[in-house]
mmCIF file with all atom_site columns, all heavy atoms in Angstrom:
data_model
loop_
_atom_site.group_PDB
_atom_site.id
_atom_site.type_symbol
_atom_site.label_atom_id
_atom_site.label_alt_id
_atom_site.label_comp_id
_atom_site.label_asym_id
_atom_site.label_entity_id
_atom_site.label_seq_id
_atom_site.pdbx_PDB_ins_code
_atom_site.Cartn_x
_atom_site.Cartn_y
_atom_site.Cartn_z
_atom_site.occupancy
_atom_site.B_iso_or_equiv
_atom_site.pdbx_formal_charge
_atom_site.auth_seq_id
_atom_site.auth_comp_id
_atom_site.auth_asym_id
_atom_site.auth_atom_id
_atom_site.pdbx_PDB_model_num
ATOM 1   N N   . THR I 1 1  ? -11.810 47.409 -41.665 1.00 94.00 ? 10 THR I N   1
ATOM 2   C CA  . THR I 1 1  ? -11.717 48.851 -41.451 1.00 94.00 ? 10 THR I CA  1
ATOM 3   C C   . THR I 1 1  ? -11.854 49.093 -39.899 1.00 94.00 ? 10 THR I C   1
ATOM 4   O O   . THR I 1 1  ? -11.987 48.147 -39.158 1.00 94.00 ? 10 THR I O   1
ATOM 5   C CB  . THR I 1 1  ? -12.716 49.668 -42.279 1.00 94.00 ? 10 THR I CB  1
ATOM 6   O OG1 . THR I 1 1  ? -12.403 51.057 -42.210 1.00 94.00 ? 10 THR I OG1 1
ATOM 7   C CG2 . THR I 1 1  ? -14.158 49.443 -41.708 1.00 94.00 ? 10 THR I CG2 1
ATOM 8   N N   . PHE I 1 2  ? -11.835 50.461 -39.568 1.00 94.00 ? 11 PHE I N   1
ATOM 9   C CA  . PHE I 1 2  ? -11.973 50.762 -38.108 1.00 94.00 ? 11 PHE I CA  1
ATOM 10  C C   . PHE I 1 2  ? -13.076 51.819 -37.903 1.00 94.00 ? 11 PHE I C   1
ATOM 11  O O   . PHE I 1 2  ? -13.350 52.623 -38.818 1.00 94.00 ? 11 PHE I O   1
ATOM 12  C CB  . PHE I 1 2  ? -10.622 51.400 -37.662 1.00 94.00 ? 11 PHE I CB  1
ATOM 13  C CG  . PHE I 1 2  ? -9.562  50.451 -37.447 1.00 94.00 ? 11 PHE I CG  1
ATOM 14  C CD1 . PHE I 1 2  ? -8.762  50.055 -38.456 1.00 94.00 ? 11 PHE I CD1 1
ATOM 15  C CD2 . PHE I 1 2  ? -9.301  49.800 -36.185 1.00 94.00 ? 11 PHE I CD2 1
ATOM 16  C CE1 . PHE I 1 2  ? -7.697  49.161 -38.298 1.00 94.00 ? 11 PHE I CE1 1
ATOM 17  C CE2 . PHE I 1 2  ? -8.306  48.894 -35.970 1.00 94.00 ? 11 PHE I CE2 1
ATOM 18  C CZ  . PHE I 1 2  ? -7.498  48.528 -37.047 1.00 94.00 ? 11 PHE I CZ  1
ATOM 19  N N   . TYR I 1 3  ? -13.708 51.807 -36.850 1.00 94.00 ? 12 TYR I N   1
ATOM 20  C CA  . TYR I 1 3  ? -14.623 52.919 -36.325 1.00 94.00 ? 12 TYR I CA  1
ATOM 21  C C   . TYR I 1 3  ? -13.811 53.893 -35.650 1.00 94.00 ? 12 TYR I C   1
ATOM 22  O O   . TYR I 1 3  ? -13.075 53.521 -34.667 1.00 94.00 ? 12 TYR I O   1
ATOM 23  C CB  . TYR I 1 3  ? -15.691 52.236 -35.486 1.00 94.00 ? 12 TYR I CB  1
ATOM 24  C CG  . TYR I 1 3  ? -16.836 51.649 -36.288 1.00 94.00 ? 12 TYR I CG  1
ATOM 25  C CD1 . TYR I 1 3  ? -16.854 50.327 -36.577 1.00 94.00 ? 12 TYR I CD1 1
ATOM 26  C CD2 . TYR I 1 3  ? -17.944 52.390 -36.711 1.00 94.00 ? 12 TYR I CD2 1
ATOM 27  C CE1 . TYR I 1 3  ? -17.872 49.748 -37.272 1.00 94.00 ? 12 TYR I CE1 1
ATOM 28  C CE2 . TYR I 1 3  ? -19.016 51.831 -37.380 1.00 94.00 ? 12 TYR I CE2 1
ATOM 29  C CZ  . TYR I 1 3  ? -18.959 50.515 -37.748 1.00 94.00 ? 12 TYR I CZ  1
ATOM 30  O OH  . TYR I 1 3  ? -19.884 49.906 -38.464 1.00 94.00 ? 12 TYR I OH  1
ATOM 31  N N   . ALA I 1 4  ? -13.815 55.193 -36.011 1.00 92.00 ? 13 ALA I N   1
ATOM 32  C CA  . ALA I 1 4  ? -13.209 56.256 -35.374 1.00 92.00 ? 13 ALA I CA  1
ATOM 33  C C   . ALA I 1 4  ? -11.666 55.972 -35.212 1.00 92.00 ? 13 ALA I C   1
ATOM 34  O O   . ALA I 1 4  ? -11.015 56.554 -34.358 1.00 92.00 ? 13 ALA I O   1
ATOM 35  C CB  . ALA I 1 4  ? -13.759 56.522 -34.072 1.00 92.00 ? 13 ALA I CB  1
ATOM 36  N N   . SER I 1 5  ? -11.142 55.093 -36.083 1.00 92.00 ? 14 SER I N   1
ATOM 37  C CA  . SER I 1 5  ? -9.756  54.779 -36.093 1.00 92.00 ? 14 SER I CA  1
ATOM 38  C C   . SER I 1 5  ? -9.276  53.988 -34.874 1.00 92.00 ? 14 SER I C   1
ATOM 39  O O   . SER I 1 5  ? -8.110  53.851 -34.661 1.00 92.00 ? 14 SER I O   1
ATOM 40  C CB  . SER I 1 5  ? -8.885  56.045 -36.278 1.00 92.00 ? 14 SER I CB  1
ATOM 41  O OG  . SER I 1 5  ? -9.164  56.666 -37.489 1.00 92.00 ? 14 SER I OG  1
ATOM 42  N N   . VAL I 1 6  ? -10.224 53.554 -33.984 1.00 94.00 ? 15 VAL I N   1
ATOM 43  C CA  . VAL I 1 6  ? -9.797  52.898 -32.749 1.00 94.00 ? 15 VAL I CA  1
ATOM 44  C C   . VAL I 1 6  ? -10.428 51.443 -32.622 1.00 94.00 ? 15 VAL I C   1
ATOM 45  O O   . VAL I 1 6  ? -9.850  50.672 -31.907 1.00 94.00 ? 15 VAL I O   1
ATOM 46  C CB  . VAL I 1 6  ? -10.029 53.735 -31.550 1.00 94.00 ? 15 VAL I CB  1
ATOM 47  C CG1 . VAL I 1 6  ? -9.214  54.998 -31.599 1.00 94.00 ? 15 VAL I CG1 1
ATOM 48  C CG2 . VAL I 1 6  ? -11.527 54.052 -31.422 1.00 94.00 ? 15 VAL I CG2 1
ATOM 49  N N   . VAL I 1 7  ? -11.552 51.274 -33.255 1.00 96.00 ? 16 VAL I N   1
ATOM 50  C CA  . VAL I 1 7  ? -12.257 49.952 -32.995 1.00 96.00 ? 16 VAL I CA  1
ATOM 51  C C   . VAL I 1 7  ? -12.412 49.235 -34.408 1.00 96.00 ? 16 VAL I C   1
ATOM 52  O O   . VAL I 1 7  ? -13.053 49.823 -35.230 1.00 96.00 ? 16 VAL I O   1
ATOM 53  C CB  . VAL I 1 7  ? -13.575 50.160 -32.315 1.00 96.00 ? 16 VAL I CB  1
ATOM 54  C CG1 . VAL I 1 7  ? -14.436 48.870 -32.384 1.00 96.00 ? 16 VAL I CG1 1
ATOM 55  C CG2 . VAL I 1 7  ? -13.443 50.498 -30.887 1.00 96.00 ? 16 VAL I CG2 1
ATOM 56  N N   . ARG I 1 8  ? -11.826 48.033 -34.514 1.00 96.00 ? 17 ARG I N   1
ATOM 57  C CA  . ARG I 1 8  ? -12.046 47.249 -35.776 1.00 96.00 ? 17 ARG I CA  1
ATOM 58  C C   . ARG I 1 8  ? -13.446 46.785 -35.811 1.00 96.00 ? 17 ARG I C   1
ATOM 59  O O   . ARG I 1 8  ? -14.239 46.603 -34.941 1.00 96.00 ? 17 ARG I O   1
ATOM 60  C CB  . ARG I 1 8  ? -11.090 46.114 -35.733 1.00 96.00 ? 17 ARG I CB  1
ATOM 61  C CG  . ARG I 1 8  ? -10.997 45.458 -37.131 1.00 96.00 ? 17 ARG I CG  1
ATOM 62  C CD  . ARG I 1 8  ? -9.930  44.376 -37.055 1.00 96.00 ? 17 ARG I CD  1
ATOM 63  N NE  . ARG I 1 8  ? -8.590  44.860 -36.904 1.00 96.00 ? 17 ARG I NE  1
ATOM 64  C CZ  . ARG I 1 8  ? -7.813  45.295 -37.987 1.00 96.00 ? 17 ARG I CZ  1
ATOM 65  N NH1 . ARG I 1 8  ? -8.417  45.142 -39.290 1.00 96.00 ? 17 ARG I NH1 1
ATOM 66  N NH2 . ARG I 1 8  ? -6.634  45.668 -37.871 1.00 96.00 ? 17 ARG I NH2 1
ATOM 67  N N   . ASN I 1 9  ? -13.916 46.771 -37.224 1.00 95.00 ? 18 ASN I N   1
ATOM 68  C CA  . ASN I 1 9  ? -15.280 46.284 -37.393 1.00 95.00 ? 18 ASN I CA  1
ATOM 69  C C   . ASN I 1 9  ? -15.419 44.768 -37.396 1.00 95.00 ? 18 ASN I C   1
ATOM 70  O O   . ASN I 1 9  ? -15.691 44.093 -38.322 1.00 95.00 ? 18 ASN I O   1
ATOM 71  C CB  . ASN I 1 9  ? -15.800 46.884 -38.782 1.00 95.00 ? 18 ASN I CB  1
ATOM 72  C CG  . ASN I 1 9  ? -14.969 46.381 -39.932 1.00 95.00 ? 18 ASN I CG  1
ATOM 73  O OD1 . ASN I 1 9  ? -13.759 46.032 -39.844 1.00 95.00 ? 18 ASN I OD1 1
ATOM 74  N ND2 . ASN I 1 9  ? -15.529 46.383 -41.150 1.00 95.00 ? 18 ASN I ND2 1
ATOM 75  N N   . ARG I 1 10 ? -15.074 44.242 -36.152 1.00 96.00 ? 19 ARG I N   1
ATOM 76  C CA  . ARG I 1 10 ? -15.180 42.972 -35.846 1.00 96.00 ? 19 ARG I CA  1
ATOM 77  C C   . ARG I 1 10 ? -15.374 42.773 -34.363 1.00 96.00 ? 19 ARG I C   1
ATOM 78  O O   . ARG I 1 10 ? -14.673 43.433 -33.562 1.00 96.00 ? 19 ARG I O   1
ATOM 79  C CB  . ARG I 1 10 ? -13.786 42.171 -36.282 1.00 96.00 ? 19 ARG I CB  1
ATOM 80  C CG  . ARG I 1 10 ? -13.658 40.713 -35.789 1.00 96.00 ? 19 ARG I CG  1
ATOM 81  C CD  . ARG I 1 10 ? -12.340 40.137 -35.787 1.00 96.00 ? 19 ARG I CD  1
ATOM 82  N NE  . ARG I 1 10 ? -11.540 40.955 -34.853 1.00 96.00 ? 19 ARG I NE  1
ATOM 83  C CZ  . ARG I 1 10 ? -10.177 41.119 -34.922 1.00 96.00 ? 19 ARG I CZ  1
ATOM 84  N NH1 . ARG I 1 10 ? -9.521  40.518 -35.995 1.00 96.00 ? 19 ARG I NH1 1
ATOM 85  N NH2 . ARG I 1 10 ? -9.510  41.768 -34.041 1.00 96.00 ? 19 ARG I NH2 1
ATOM 86  N N   . THR I 1 11 ? -16.317 41.953 -33.986 1.00 97.00 ? 20 THR I N   1
ATOM 87  C CA  . THR I 1 11 ? -16.467 41.708 -32.533 1.00 97.00 ? 20 THR I CA  1
ATOM 88  C C   . THR I 1 11 ? -15.781 40.520 -32.122 1.00 97.00 ? 20 THR I C   1
ATOM 89  O O   . THR I 1 11 ? -15.869 39.436 -32.579 1.00 97.00 ? 20 THR I O   1
ATOM 90  C CB  . THR I 1 11 ? -18.009 41.456 -32.266 1.00 97.00 ? 20 THR I CB  1
ATOM 91  O OG1 . THR I 1 11 ? -18.745 42.643 -32.635 1.00 97.00 ? 20 THR I OG1 1
ATOM 92  C CG2 . THR I 1 11 ? -18.191 41.181 -30.813 1.00 97.00 ? 20 THR I CG2 1
ATOM 93  N N   . PHE I 1 12 ? -14.815 40.703 -31.107 1.00 98.00 ? 21 PHE I N   1
ATOM 94  C CA  . PHE I 1 12 ? -14.082 39.539 -30.563 1.00 98.00 ? 21 PHE I CA  1
ATOM 95  C C   . PHE I 1 12 ? -14.634 39.380 -29.140 1.00 98.00 ? 21 PHE I C   1
ATOM 96  O O   . PHE I 1 12 ? -14.786 40.314 -28.311 1.00 98.00 ? 21 PHE I O   1
ATOM 97  C CB  . PHE I 1 12 ? -12.543 39.938 -30.488 1.00 98.00 ? 21 PHE I CB  1
ATOM 98  C CG  . PHE I 1 12 ? -11.679 38.863 -30.016 1.00 98.00 ? 21 PHE I CG  1
ATOM 99  C CD1 . PHE I 1 12 ? -11.217 37.907 -30.787 1.00 98.00 ? 21 PHE I CD1 1
ATOM 100 C CD2 . PHE I 1 12 ? -11.206 38.853 -28.657 1.00 98.00 ? 21 PHE I CD2 1
ATOM 101 C CE1 . PHE I 1 12 ? -10.434 36.874 -30.352 1.00 98.00 ? 21 PHE I CE1 1
ATOM 102 C CE2 . PHE I 1 12 ? -10.416 37.893 -28.136 1.00 98.00 ? 21 PHE I CE2 1
ATOM 103 C CZ  . PHE I 1 12 ? -9.984  36.824 -29.031 1.00 98.00 ? 21 PHE I CZ  1
ATOM 104 N N   . VAL I 1 13 ? -14.873 38.128 -28.796 1.00 98.00 ? 22 VAL I N   1
ATOM 105 C CA  . VAL I 1 13 ? -15.615 37.782 -27.532 1.00 98.00 ? 22 VAL I CA  1
ATOM 106 C C   . VAL I 1 13 ? -14.609 37.190 -26.519 1.00 98.00 ? 22 VAL I C   1
ATOM 107 O O   . VAL I 1 13 ? -13.790 36.387 -26.889 1.00 98.00 ? 22 VAL I O   1
ATOM 108 C CB  . VAL I 1 13 ? -16.811 36.779 -27.860 1.00 98.00 ? 22 VAL I CB  1
ATOM 109 C CG1 . VAL I 1 13 ? -17.445 36.424 -26.486 1.00 98.00 ? 22 VAL I CG1 1
ATOM 110 C CG2 . VAL I 1 13 ? -17.763 37.484 -28.759 1.00 98.00 ? 22 VAL I CG2 1
ATOM 111 N N   . TYR I 1 14 ? -14.778 37.674 -25.197 1.00 98.00 ? 23 TYR I N   1
ATOM 112 C CA  . TYR I 1 14 ? -13.976 37.060 -24.217 1.00 98.00 ? 23 TYR I CA  1
ATOM 113 C C   . TYR I 1 14 ? -14.856 36.280 -23.320 1.00 98.00 ? 23 TYR I C   1
ATOM 114 O O   . TYR I 1 14 ? -16.057 36.599 -23.130 1.00 98.00 ? 23 TYR I O   1
ATOM 115 C CB  . TYR I 1 14 ? -13.396 38.185 -23.346 1.00 98.00 ? 23 TYR I CB  1
ATOM 116 C CG  . TYR I 1 14 ? -12.306 39.043 -24.094 1.00 98.00 ? 23 TYR I CG  1
ATOM 117 C CD1 . TYR I 1 14 ? -12.719 40.021 -24.930 1.00 98.00 ? 23 TYR I CD1 1
ATOM 118 C CD2 . TYR I 1 14 ? -11.003 38.908 -23.701 1.00 98.00 ? 23 TYR I CD2 1
ATOM 119 C CE1 . TYR I 1 14 ? -11.750 40.912 -25.604 1.00 98.00 ? 23 TYR I CE1 1
ATOM 120 C CE2 . TYR I 1 14 ? -9.998  39.676 -24.387 1.00 98.00 ? 23 TYR I CE2 1
ATOM 121 C CZ  . TYR I 1 14 ? -10.426 40.722 -25.188 1.00 98.00 ? 23 TYR I CZ  1
ATOM 122 O OH  . TYR I 1 14 ? -9.480  41.495 -25.846 1.00 98.00 ? 23 TYR I OH  1
ATOM 123 N N   . VAL I 1 15 ? -14.363 35.253 -22.676 1.00 98.00 ? 24 VAL I N   1
ATOM 124 C CA  . VAL I 1 15 ? -15.079 34.442 -21.741 1.00 98.00 ? 24 VAL I CA  1
ATOM 125 C C   . VAL I 1 15 ? -14.035 34.044 -20.617 1.00 98.00 ? 24 VAL I C   1
ATOM 126 O O   . VAL I 1 15 ? -13.033 33.497 -20.797 1.00 98.00 ? 24 VAL I O   1
ATOM 127 C CB  . VAL I 1 15 ? -15.727 33.206 -22.413 1.00 98.00 ? 24 VAL I CB  1
ATOM 128 C CG1 . VAL I 1 15 ? -14.694 32.389 -23.138 1.00 98.00 ? 24 VAL I CG1 1
ATOM 129 C CG2 . VAL I 1 15 ? -16.425 32.391 -21.290 1.00 98.00 ? 24 VAL I CG2 1
ATOM 130 N N   . TYR I 1 16 ? -14.508 34.347 -19.379 1.00 98.00 ? 25 TYR I N   1
ATOM 131 C CA  . TYR I 1 16 ? -13.713 33.775 -18.138 1.00 98.00 ? 25 TYR I CA  1
ATOM 132 C C   . TYR I 1 16 ? -14.292 32.433 -17.763 1.00 98.00 ? 25 TYR I C   1
ATOM 133 O O   . TYR I 1 16 ? -15.442 32.240 -17.565 1.00 98.00 ? 25 TYR I O   1
ATOM 134 C CB  . TYR I 1 16 ? -13.965 34.777 -16.987 1.00 98.00 ? 25 TYR I CB  1
ATOM 135 C CG  . TYR I 1 16 ? -13.284 34.327 -15.743 1.00 98.00 ? 25 TYR I CG  1
ATOM 136 C CD1 . TYR I 1 16 ? -11.923 34.332 -15.599 1.00 98.00 ? 25 TYR I CD1 1
ATOM 137 C CD2 . TYR I 1 16 ? -14.053 33.752 -14.663 1.00 98.00 ? 25 TYR I CD2 1
ATOM 138 C CE1 . TYR I 1 16 ? -11.263 33.857 -14.425 1.00 98.00 ? 25 TYR I CE1 1
ATOM 139 C CE2 . TYR I 1 16 ? -13.381 33.253 -13.516 1.00 98.00 ? 25 TYR I CE2 1
ATOM 140 C CZ  . TYR I 1 16 ? -12.107 33.417 -13.405 1.00 98.00 ? 25 TYR I CZ  1
ATOM 141 O OH  . TYR I 1 16 ? -11.510 32.820 -12.237 1.00 98.00 ? 25 TYR I OH  1
ATOM 142 N N   . ALA I 1 17 ? -13.401 31.540 -17.717 1.00 97.00 ? 26 ALA I N   1
ATOM 143 C CA  . ALA I 1 17 ? -13.657 30.085 -17.327 1.00 97.00 ? 26 ALA I CA  1
ATOM 144 C C   . ALA I 1 17 ? -12.597 29.681 -16.316 1.00 97.00 ? 26 ALA I C   1
ATOM 145 O O   . ALA I 1 17 ? -11.437 29.969 -16.378 1.00 97.00 ? 26 ALA I O   1
ATOM 146 C CB  . ALA I 1 17 ? -13.644 29.238 -18.488 1.00 97.00 ? 26 ALA I CB  1
ATOM 147 N N   . GLN I 1 18 ? -13.022 28.861 -15.346 1.00 97.00 ? 27 GLN I N   1
ATOM 148 C CA  . GLN I 1 18 ? -12.153 28.212 -14.411 1.00 97.00 ? 27 GLN I CA  1
ATOM 149 C C   . GLN I 1 18 ? -11.823 26.754 -14.827 1.00 97.00 ? 27 GLN I C   1
ATOM 150 O O   . GLN I 1 18 ? -12.502 26.168 -15.615 1.00 97.00 ? 27 GLN I O   1
ATOM 151 C CB  . GLN I 1 18 ? -12.795 28.157 -13.000 1.00 97.00 ? 27 GLN I CB  1
ATOM 152 C CG  . GLN I 1 18 ? -13.124 29.564 -12.415 1.00 97.00 ? 27 GLN I CG  1
ATOM 153 C CD  . GLN I 1 18 ? -13.807 29.571 -11.118 1.00 97.00 ? 27 GLN I CD  1
ATOM 154 O OE1 . GLN I 1 18 ? -14.436 28.537 -10.654 1.00 97.00 ? 27 GLN I OE1 1
ATOM 155 N NE2 . GLN I 1 18 ? -13.814 30.643 -10.500 1.00 97.00 ? 27 GLN I NE2 1
ATOM 156 N N   . ALA I 1 19 ? -10.568 26.466 -14.418 1.00 97.00 ? 28 ALA I N   1
ATOM 157 C CA  . ALA I 1 19 ? -10.102 25.061 -14.797 1.00 97.00 ? 28 ALA I CA  1
ATOM 158 C C   . ALA I 1 19 ? -11.247 23.945 -14.638 1.00 97.00 ? 28 ALA I C   1
ATOM 159 O O   . ALA I 1 19 ? -11.765 23.841 -13.509 1.00 97.00 ? 28 ALA I O   1
ATOM 160 C CB  . ALA I 1 19 ? -8.845  24.788 -14.148 1.00 97.00 ? 28 ALA I CB  1
ATOM 161 N N   . GLY I 1 20 ? -11.419 23.232 -15.731 1.00 96.00 ? 29 GLY I N   1
ATOM 162 C CA  . GLY I 1 20 ? -12.421 22.062 -15.534 1.00 96.00 ? 29 GLY I CA  1
ATOM 163 C C   . GLY I 1 20 ? -13.809 22.419 -16.097 1.00 96.00 ? 29 GLY I C   1
ATOM 164 O O   . GLY I 1 20 ? -14.629 21.632 -16.351 1.00 96.00 ? 29 GLY I O   1
ATOM 165 N N   . GLU I 1 21 ? -14.143 23.767 -16.097 1.00 96.00 ? 30 GLU I N   1
ATOM 166 C CA  . GLU I 1 21 ? -15.357 24.160 -16.669 1.00 96.00 ? 30 GLU I CA  1
ATOM 167 C C   . GLU I 1 21 ? -15.465 24.011 -18.166 1.00 96.00 ? 30 GLU I C   1
ATOM 168 O O   . GLU I 1 21 ? -14.398 23.906 -18.814 1.00 96.00 ? 30 GLU I O   1
ATOM 169 C CB  . GLU I 1 21 ? -15.655 25.566 -16.222 1.00 96.00 ? 30 GLU I CB  1
ATOM 170 C CG  . GLU I 1 21 ? -15.903 25.816 -14.703 1.00 96.00 ? 30 GLU I CG  1
ATOM 171 C CD  . GLU I 1 21 ? -16.192 27.308 -14.333 1.00 96.00 ? 30 GLU I CD  1
ATOM 172 O OE1 . GLU I 1 21 ? -15.839 28.189 -15.060 1.00 96.00 ? 30 GLU I OE1 1
ATOM 173 O OE2 . GLU I 1 21 ? -16.782 27.471 -13.286 1.00 96.00 ? 30 GLU I OE2 1
ATOM 174 N N   . TYR I 1 22 ? -16.724 23.965 -18.664 1.00 97.00 ? 31 TYR I N   1
ATOM 175 C CA  . TYR I 1 22 ? -16.844 23.871 -20.118 1.00 97.00 ? 31 TYR I CA  1
ATOM 176 C C   . TYR I 1 22 ? -17.332 25.107 -20.745 1.00 97.00 ? 31 TYR I C   1
ATOM 177 O O   . TYR I 1 22 ? -18.158 25.818 -20.214 1.00 97.00 ? 31 TYR I O   1
ATOM 178 C CB  . TYR I 1 22 ? -17.806 22.703 -20.441 1.00 97.00 ? 31 TYR I CB  1
ATOM 179 C CG  . TYR I 1 22 ? -17.200 21.356 -20.526 1.00 97.00 ? 31 TYR I CG  1
ATOM 180 C CD1 . TYR I 1 22 ? -16.951 20.686 -19.311 1.00 97.00 ? 31 TYR I CD1 1
ATOM 181 C CD2 . TYR I 1 22 ? -16.800 20.837 -21.682 1.00 97.00 ? 31 TYR I CD2 1
ATOM 182 C CE1 . TYR I 1 22 ? -16.391 19.414 -19.325 1.00 97.00 ? 31 TYR I CE1 1
ATOM 183 C CE2 . TYR I 1 22 ? -16.212 19.544 -21.711 1.00 97.00 ? 31 TYR I CE2 1
ATOM 184 C CZ  . TYR I 1 22 ? -16.064 18.839 -20.540 1.00 97.00 ? 31 TYR I CZ  1
ATOM 185 O OH  . TYR I 1 22 ? -15.409 17.648 -20.604 1.00 97.00 ? 31 TYR I OH  1
ATOM 186 N N   . ILE I 1 23 ? -16.689 25.485 -21.939 1.00 97.00 ? 32 ILE I N   1
ATOM 187 C CA  . ILE I 1 23 ? -17.142 26.649 -22.691 1.00 97.00 ? 32 ILE I CA  1
ATOM 188 C C   . ILE I 1 23 ? -17.855 26.045 -23.901 1.00 97.00 ? 32 ILE I C   1
ATOM 189 O O   . ILE I 1 23 ? -17.330 25.320 -24.677 1.00 97.00 ? 32 ILE I O   1
ATOM 190 C CB  . ILE I 1 23 ? -15.884 27.443 -23.214 1.00 97.00 ? 32 ILE I CB  1
ATOM 191 C CG1 . ILE I 1 23 ? -15.040 27.928 -22.051 1.00 97.00 ? 32 ILE I CG1 1
ATOM 192 C CG2 . ILE I 1 23 ? -16.383 28.565 -24.086 1.00 97.00 ? 32 ILE I CG2 1
ATOM 193 C CD1 . ILE I 1 23 ? -13.727 28.561 -22.480 1.00 97.00 ? 32 ILE I CD1 1
ATOM 194 N N   . LEU I 1 24 ? -19.164 26.429 -23.978 1.00 97.00 ? 33 LEU I N   1
ATOM 195 C CA  . LEU I 1 24 ? -20.054 25.897 -24.974 1.00 97.00 ? 33 LEU I CA  1
ATOM 196 C C   . LEU I 1 24 ? -20.208 27.016 -26.092 1.00 97.00 ? 33 LEU I C   1
ATOM 197 O O   . LEU I 1 24 ? -20.449 28.130 -25.704 1.00 97.00 ? 33 LEU I O   1
ATOM 198 C CB  . LEU I 1 24 ? -21.395 25.431 -24.485 1.00 97.00 ? 33 LEU I CB  1
ATOM 199 C CG  . LEU I 1 24 ? -21.552 24.134 -23.832 1.00 97.00 ? 33 LEU I CG  1
ATOM 200 C CD1 . LEU I 1 24 ? -20.433 23.794 -22.786 1.00 97.00 ? 33 LEU I CD1 1
ATOM 201 C CD2 . LEU I 1 24 ? -22.971 23.899 -23.258 1.00 97.00 ? 33 LEU I CD2 1
ATOM 202 N N   . VAL I 1 25 ? -20.136 26.609 -27.356 1.00 98.00 ? 34 VAL I N   1
ATOM 203 C CA  . VAL I 1 25 ? -20.281 27.629 -28.393 1.00 98.00 ? 34 VAL I CA  1
ATOM 204 C C   . VAL I 1 25 ? -21.124 27.053 -29.585 1.00 98.00 ? 34 VAL I C   1
ATOM 205 O O   . VAL I 1 25 ? -21.233 25.839 -29.740 1.00 98.00 ? 34 VAL I O   1
ATOM 206 C CB  . VAL I 1 25 ? -18.861 28.049 -28.897 1.00 98.00 ? 34 VAL I CB  1
ATOM 207 C CG1 . VAL I 1 25 ? -18.153 28.728 -27.902 1.00 98.00 ? 34 VAL I CG1 1
ATOM 208 C CG2 . VAL I 1 25 ? -18.089 26.872 -29.456 1.00 98.00 ? 34 VAL I CG2 1
ATOM 209 N N   . GLY I 1 26 ? -21.663 28.003 -30.351 1.00 98.00 ? 35 GLY I N   1
ATOM 210 C CA  . GLY I 1 26 ? -22.473 27.552 -31.561 1.00 98.00 ? 35 GLY I CA  1
ATOM 211 C C   . GLY I 1 26 ? -22.846 28.869 -32.296 1.00 98.00 ? 35 GLY I C   1
ATOM 212 O O   . GLY I 1 26 ? -22.786 29.908 -31.658 1.00 98.00 ? 35 GLY I O   1
ATOM 213 N N   . SER I 1 27 ? -23.243 28.633 -33.566 1.00 98.00 ? 36 SER I N   1
ATOM 214 C CA  . SER I 1 27 ? -23.737 29.790 -34.345 1.00 98.00 ? 36 SER I CA  1
ATOM 215 C C   . SER I 1 27 ? -24.593 29.287 -35.516 1.00 98.00 ? 36 SER I C   1
ATOM 216 O O   . SER I 1 27 ? -24.626 28.172 -35.786 1.00 98.00 ? 36 SER I O   1
ATOM 217 C CB  . SER I 1 27 ? -22.429 30.496 -34.940 1.00 98.00 ? 36 SER I CB  1
ATOM 218 O OG  . SER I 1 27 ? -22.029 30.004 -36.150 1.00 98.00 ? 36 SER I OG  1
ATOM 219 N N   . SER I 1 28 ? -25.298 30.315 -36.093 1.00 96.00 ? 37 SER I N   1
ATOM 220 C CA  . SER I 1 28 ? -26.226 30.054 -37.228 1.00 96.00 ? 37 SER I CA  1
ATOM 221 C C   . SER I 1 28 ? -25.398 29.812 -38.540 1.00 96.00 ? 37 SER I C   1
ATOM 222 O O   . SER I 1 28 ? -25.887 29.380 -39.561 1.00 96.00 ? 37 SER I O   1
ATOM 223 C CB  . SER I 1 28 ? -27.145 31.147 -37.423 1.00 96.00 ? 37 SER I CB  1
ATOM 224 O OG  . SER I 1 28 ? -26.540 32.418 -37.465 1.00 96.00 ? 37 SER I OG  1
ATOM 225 N N   . ASN I 1 29 ? -24.081 30.130 -38.464 1.00 96.00 ? 38 ASN I N   1
ATOM 226 C CA  . ASN I 1 29 ? -23.235 29.989 -39.620 1.00 96.00 ? 38 ASN I CA  1
ATOM 227 C C   . ASN I 1 29 ? -22.648 28.510 -39.652 1.00 96.00 ? 38 ASN I C   1
ATOM 228 O O   . ASN I 1 29 ? -22.016 28.122 -40.780 1.00 96.00 ? 38 ASN I O   1
ATOM 229 C CB  . ASN I 1 29 ? -22.129 30.910 -39.762 1.00 96.00 ? 38 ASN I CB  1
ATOM 230 C CG  . ASN I 1 29 ? -22.602 32.318 -40.155 1.00 96.00 ? 38 ASN I CG  1
ATOM 231 O OD1 . ASN I 1 29 ? -23.739 32.532 -40.589 1.00 96.00 ? 38 ASN I OD1 1
ATOM 232 N ND2 . ASN I 1 29 ? -21.664 33.326 -39.922 1.00 96.00 ? 38 ASN I ND2 1
ATOM 233 N N   . ARG I 1 30 ? -22.731 27.771 -38.619 1.00 95.00 ? 39 ARG I N   1
ATOM 234 C CA  . ARG I 1 30 ? -21.985 26.476 -38.534 1.00 95.00 ? 39 ARG I CA  1
ATOM 235 C C   . ARG I 1 30 ? -22.418 25.423 -39.609 1.00 95.00 ? 39 ARG I C   1
ATOM 236 O O   . ARG I 1 30 ? -21.583 24.709 -40.046 1.00 95.00 ? 39 ARG I O   1
ATOM 237 C CB  . ARG I 1 30 ? -22.101 25.914 -37.181 1.00 95.00 ? 39 ARG I CB  1
ATOM 238 C CG  . ARG I 1 30 ? -20.946 26.206 -36.138 1.00 95.00 ? 39 ARG I CG  1
ATOM 239 C CD  . ARG I 1 30 ? -19.777 25.395 -36.509 1.00 95.00 ? 39 ARG I CD  1
ATOM 240 N NE  . ARG I 1 30 ? -19.990 23.943 -36.269 1.00 95.00 ? 39 ARG I NE  1
ATOM 241 C CZ  . ARG I 1 30 ? -19.770 22.973 -37.129 1.00 95.00 ? 39 ARG I CZ  1
ATOM 242 N NH1 . ARG I 1 30 ? -19.361 23.265 -38.409 1.00 95.00 ? 39 ARG I NH1 1
ATOM 243 N NH2 . ARG I 1 30 ? -20.043 21.691 -36.860 1.00 95.00 ? 39 ARG I NH2 1
#
C-alpha cells in the first residue's frame, strides 16, 4: 500500500560507493 498515496510502505536503501570499494550488508532475517 502507500502512505498519503505517494510513499510505498517499503524502505528502499541507497548507497554511494566508488569503484573498488566494498558494500557490506547483513540483517537479522538472514
Side-chain angles (χ1 to χ4, degrees):
T10 189
F11 287 86
Y12 281 90
S14 301
V15 295
V16 167
R17 189 175 290 276
N18 61 337
R19 172 199 62 206
T20 299
F21 185 81
V22 178
Y23 295 77
V24 54
Y25 173 74
Q27 297 179 342
E30 292 179 335
Y31 275 82
I32 302 171
L33 277 54
V34 295
S36 84
S37 51
N38 288 346
R39 262 286 293 127

